[in-house]
Amino acid sequence: MIGGGLLGLEAAAGLKVQGMDVTVLHLMPTLMERQLDETAGHLLEKALTDRGIKVITKANTKEILGTTKVEGVRLEDGTILDANIIIMAVGIRPNLWLGKDAGLDVDRGILVNNMMQTSDPNIFSVGECIQVENRTYGLVAPLYDQAKVLGSTLAGKDSKPFTHFEAATKLKVTGINLFSAGDFAAGDDRQEIVLRDAAKGVYKRLVLQDDKIIGIVLYGETADGPWFYQMMNAGDDISEMRDTLIFGPAYAGGGGADPLALVAGMPDEAEICGCNGVCKGDIVSAITDKKLGTLDEVRAHTKASASCGSCSGLVEQLLALTLGDDFDTNAVTAMCACTDLSHQDVRRMIISKSIKSIPDVMQELHWTTSCGCTKCRPALNYYLICAWPGEYVDDGYSRYINERVHANIQKDGTYSVIPRMWGGMTTPNELRAIADVADKFDISTVKVTGGQRIDLLGIRKEDLTAVWADLNAAGMVSGHAYAKGLRTVKTCVGTDWCRVATQDSTGLGIQLERILWGAWAPHKLKLAVSGCPRNCSEATCKDIGVICVDSGYELHFGGAAGMHIQGTQVLCMVDTEAEVIEYICALTQMYREQANYLDRIYKWADKVGYDYIRSVIVDDEQERKAYAARFLYSQKFMQNDPWKERVEGKEAHHFDAPLVPKKLEETV
Ligand code: SF4
């Protein structure tokens, strides 16, 4: 990575998370020297080094080596570094040719006035190519403001002129908290207030001039950044609170501060989410107009805190401030008593901090207990499986009893066993084997389930392995009837037998079950495929349903028929079986990656919005294919048949590849 500025470091951290060996080459003596003073720059370098990213400062790149492909770089001092990929993040320079060709006045950028008008009154310009008041811009927030000014002008409305404001910088590398804004160069007419706590890795520096804040550098603890930033932009006189200023708003005005005072005092234009350029006014309007009540809902509708998540706390405070007593604190409750972090926070940090074991989660995220509890351990086990397919090894001790024993415990202490019947189909041989097992092990109850499977009830624990062995010998595998994962794909008889069927619903259901089986999920996952809208397999009350019609396939999702009863909503129509499979794999993976543990699809969809899910899976082809590809990749490491593994005396966590059609793998 050539360039140790904001974007270069965020990219370097992202590549490191992907498992790459990353070196940052930076021309200046300290990183991010435009935003950070020397001390904070060194702290940042150490934090990156601790994360395994090599940093070389004062590194002047002279040459990129390689003929047909990149092989390395040569520095000015002769050092040669091998590289397979070189990424340059060395700042931006406006491209001026269009402005010059049009005869416009240009300097470092195309010159415009505060109404975005160039030297030709009929030509306006916004963005990174312009220069206004001797400044050029590369951040998104001022560009949005320029676009608003221009939009109003073009619409014939009065508009306030564009005004410069000092943008704050936040490094979006989770675990490295850094906030910087303004001018922090030393000067005779300036004073500094500095707080250092080396043991805690905290460094705060405020630069003052004429009793006003003109520069802010916060490292380690950045929660007060927006408060300082607001005062800096407003030009507030801080002389009255100078003694305690560095300790933040909690000490302003003699203590006893309202925790919501910080967000309450922010103007509507104050930027809350730097990643997506979302300001306070946008969030408050969305909460009020769309009746949002949770962080997930605000994320889905405004994108605030949907990227790096560092502003989640501020968004929650805005929810509390806007909703008052209607704010459901449970909506943002921690995942359990062992942590203050929510499920979503933990999921995000597992990935951004590259955490790959339950003990590491507990240590890195400061769990208050040493071993976790029955709430967090199964959730963490699932989140790690989902985040690191092929790397994380399932922890059987973090599973509920049914998943540990691969059977369902009954009220008398015996177990129930359900073999898988692909798409609800069985054969005389399978039925004979089931009957033989029932006779041999004195199984008193054999019952057909609502999911078109056969349940053997009343099996003694000591007989489980022998029962599985006999069923395996007849070609049957676990039906995962106990799992937070794929349970069943129910089908009707379709075109093979039904006079009104429109498609091969049975064959499609079998294909889906072959592809999806063994995938762990936040909760159980039930599917159904019906061969026509008469819907004999009840697809419209399943987590995911398919209704075949003459012109193709209607995909449904979000149904439930348990304690909670709810019909599905339509996802979309598709034309081919290959599309059905791709869309369902993508939807399943999106659910796997986003839902809280123990949320069924309908609960997750209620939180993030059905339209949001459609906008990703249906409208965004690239995202859909990426989700489907990640699902298929993770299935290479799925839990195949835990019964077989137990019979063979192995632990059940790494198995053969699933039966994914070659064509589908190529498609996605
Ligand atoms: S859903 Fe339609 S195709 Fe399937 S069995 Fe019923 S009537 Fe026949």
Side-chain angles (χ1 to χ4, degrees):
M1 175 65 58
I2 300 177
L6 191 71
L7 296 181
L9 296 182
E10 286 175 359
L15 295 173
K16 184 70 193 165
V17 168
Q18 297 301 317
M20 298 192 189
D21 181 11
V22 186
T23 302
V24 175
L25 304 177
H26 190 56
L27 186 61
M28 306 306 287
T30 55
L31 297 171
M32 288 181 66
E33 75 288 340
R34 285 177 62 193
Q35 290 91 2
L36 299 182
D37 62 14
E38 205 179 315
T39 307
H42 285 304
L43 286 170
L44 175 60
E45 184 177 335
K46 181 172 183 315
L48 291 166
T49 307
D50 289 347
R51 280 165 174 72
I53 297 171
K54 296 185 207 83
V55 177
I56 303 177
T57 53
K58 299 186 204 163
N60 192 355
T61 309
K62 270 295 160 209
E63 189 183 357
I64 293 178
L65 305 175
T67 47
T68 57
K69 64 181 175 65
V70 160
E71 289 172 4
V73 293
R74 186 200 313 276
L75 305 185
E76 191 175 41
D77 65 4
T79 306
I80 291 179
L81 299 162
D82 292 338
N84 304 109
I85 300 174
I86 295 174
I87 299 174
M88 300 176 77
V90 290
I92 57 166
R93 187 188 301 162
N95 185 343
L96 298 174
W97 70 265
L98 183 62
K100 276 185 185 161
D101 274 12
L104 304 179
D105 292 346
V106 299
D107 182 17
R108 286 180 292 125
I110 297 169
L111 293 171
V112 299
N113 62 21
N114 284 21
M115 300 308 290
M116 306 293 106
Q117 193 174 35
T118 66
S119 55
D120 180 331
N122 291 317
I123 300 179
F124 293 77
S125 183
V126 296
E128 293 164 328
C129 64
I130 66 159
Q131 181 177 333
V132 53
E133 288 184 337
N134 208 25
R135 289 189 173 94
T136 57
Y137 292 89
L139 295 174
V140 71
L143 306 195
Y144 286 154
D145 288 347
Q146 293 167 13
K148 280 178 194 160
V149 172
L150 177 58
S152 293
T153 305
L154 295 179
K157 294 183 180 167
D158 286 340
S159 168
K160 284 191 210 153
F162 173 77
T163 49
H164 168 77
F165 68 93
E166 288 295 344
T169 297
K170 286 179 247 173
L171 183 69
K172 294 167 205 77
V173 176
T174 306
I176 301 179
N177 297 319
L178 189 158
F179 183 100
S180 162
D183 177 0
F184 45 79
D188 290 344
D189 58 343
R190 297 173 174 192
Q191 307 90 47
E192 292 178 11
I193 303 177
V194 178
L195 183 150
R196 282 175 217 263
D197 185 340
K200 282 179 72 183
V202 172
Y203 173 79
K204 300 183 181 185
R205 179 168 171 234
L206 299 176
V207 182
L208 309 178
Q209 190 175 38
D210 300 331
D211 286 329
K212 294 185 176 106
I213 299 173
I214 61 163
I216 308 158
V217 183
L218 306 177
Y219 185 91
E221 273 178 14
T222 56
D224 299 335
W227 186 69
F228 292 131
Y229 181 58
Q230 179 211 334
M231 286 197 291
M232 183 180 82
N233 276 325
D236 288 348
D237 186 323
I238 52 80
S239 51
E240 293 284 308
M241 61 175 95
R242 190 176 178 122
D243 290 351
T244 59
L245 181 66
I246 196 74
F247 301 113
Y251 287 82
D258 177 353
L260 298 183
L262 169 63
V263 287
M266 286 179 171
D268 280 352
E269 314 77 63
E271 187 184 74
I272 301 293
C273 174
C275 297
N276 297 308
V278 190
C279 66
K280 175 185 167 183
D282 298 333
I283 297 169
V284 171
S285 305
I287 294 169
T288 312
D289 299 347
K290 296 184 168 41
K291 304 201 180 337
L292 309 182
T294 67
L295 182 61
D296 286 340
E297 288 172 351
V298 174
R299 274 187 191 129
H301 284 88
T302 68
K303 292 204 160 174
S305 84
S307 294
C308 77
S310 62
C311 62
S312 301
L314 280 176
V315 177
E316 283 174 2
Q317 286 175 14
L318 280 175
L319 274 162
L321 186 73
T322 312
L323 298 176
D325 290 343
D326 291 336
F327 179 53
D328 177 7
T329 49
N330 285 326
V332 291
T333 42
M335 62 189 289
C336 66
C338 308
T339 178
D340 290 335
L341 297 169
S342 68
H343 283 266
Q344 291 302 312
D345 291 332
V346 171
R347 292 203 82 164
R348 247 192 313 280
M349 288 190 206
I350 281 174
I351 292 173
S352 59
K353 288 173 159 252
S354 199
I355 306 175
K356 300 193 176 173
S357 74
I358 291 177
D360 285 352
V361 172
M362 292 176 178
Q363 188 176 344
E364 289 248 346
L365 305 186
H366 309 295
W367 243 239
T368 57
T369 54
S370 56
C371 296
C373 67
T374 52
K375 270 190 182 172
C376 63
R377 285 197 75 100
L380 293 179
N381 191 45
Y382 169 68
Y383 294 153
L384 288 160
I385 282 178
C386 183
W388 311 114
E391 290 185 67
Y392 176 72
V393 178
D394 181 28
D395 177 24
Y397 295 106
S398 295
R399 292 194 170 279
Y400 296 124
I401 175 69
N402 288 348
E403 289 186 344
R404 283 210 302 274
V405 298
H406 310 295
N408 289 65
I409 192 161
Q410 304 298 310
K411 69 177 195 178
D412 63 354
T414 62
Y415 290 84
S416 120
V417 158
I418 301 180
R420 191 165 288 284
M421 291 177 174
W422 308 99
M425 297 291 285
T426 186
T427 64
N429 277 344
E430 286 183 354
L431 293 173
R432 269 186 215 101
I434 289 170
D436 288 346
V437 163
D439 279 345
K440 183 173 169 184
F441 296 96
D442 199 19
I443 294 169
S444 58
T445 303
V446 180
K447 171 134 189 19
V448 175
T449 71
Q452 300 180 332
R453 309 295 138 107
I454 291 178
D455 192 357
L456 300 159
L457 291 128
I459 302 173
R460 291 177 295 272
K461 189 174 184 186
E462 57 271 25
D463 290 339
L464 280 174
T465 309
V467 167
W468 297 336
D470 284 5
L471 293 172
N472 276 166
M476 283 179 277
V477 297
S478 168
H480 293 114
Y482 43 80
K484 306 279 181 277
L486 180 79
R487 296 283 179 90
T488 53
V489 181
K490 192 171 174 179
T491 66
C492 74
V493 293
T495 42
D496 278 356
W497 293 98
C498 182
R499 287 174 298 136
V500 292
T502 62
Q503 312 281 355
D504 177 15
S505 49
T506 319
L508 179 57
I510 292 170
Q511 278 193 73
L512 284 169
E513 191 159 347
R514 291 272 187 194
I515 292 164
L516 297 172
W517 82 299
W520 294 112
H523 209 303
K524 60 187 170 189
L525 193 59
K526 294 182 175 179
L527 276 71
V529 185
S530 284
C532 81
R534 288 167 186 80
N535 194 15
C536 294
S537 63
E538 299 155 342
T540 48
C541 64
K542 297 289 186 266
D543 295 288
I544 300 175
V546 182
I547 303 285
C548 304
V549 291
D550 285 325
S551 57
Y553 305 84
E554 194 175 84
L555 305 186
H556 289 244
F557 70 120
M563 299 244 295
H564 182 82
I565 298 176
Q566 168 169 321
T568 50
Q569 292 203 21
V570 174
L571 178 70
C572 63
M573 274 291 302
V574 296
D575 297 332
T576 65
E577 282 192 352
E579 286 173 302
V580 172
I581 292 168
E582 181 182 311
Y583 280 63
I584 287 179
C585 286
L587 174 61
T588 303
Q589 185 66 10
M590 188 178 174
Y591 165 60
R592 295 179 76 232
E593 290 182 14
Q594 293 195 2
N596 288 358
Y597 189 66
L598 298 186
D599 273 358
R600 293 280 292 271
I601 283 192
Y602 76 88
K603 270 199 183 173
W604 165 62
D606 285 348
K607 284 178 185 170
V608 302
Y610 285 76
D611 284 342
Y612 168 64
I613 295 170
R614 285 186 198 100
S615 74
V616 175
I617 301 298
V618 183
D619 302 338
D620 190 334
E621 184 186 355
Q622 203 178 349
E623 275 286 289
R624 179 178 67 248
K625 287 190 182 299
Y627 272 117
R630 289 204 293 279
F631 179 77
L632 293 181
Y633 176 75
S634 78
Q635 283 296 79
K636 291 180 193 293
F637 312 99
M638 69 172 193
Q639 48 142 356
N640 197 332
D641 180 18
W643 290 357
K644 186 161 177 249
E645 296 291 320
R646 283 298 175 95
V647 170
E648 292 175 355
K650 287 184 270 178
E651 271 307 315
H653 44 65
H654 190 257
F655 307 92
D656 301 328
L659 298 172
V660 176
K662 194 83 200 127
K663 241 178 141 182
L664 176 67
E665 274 199 313
E666 283 161 13
T667 313
V668 297

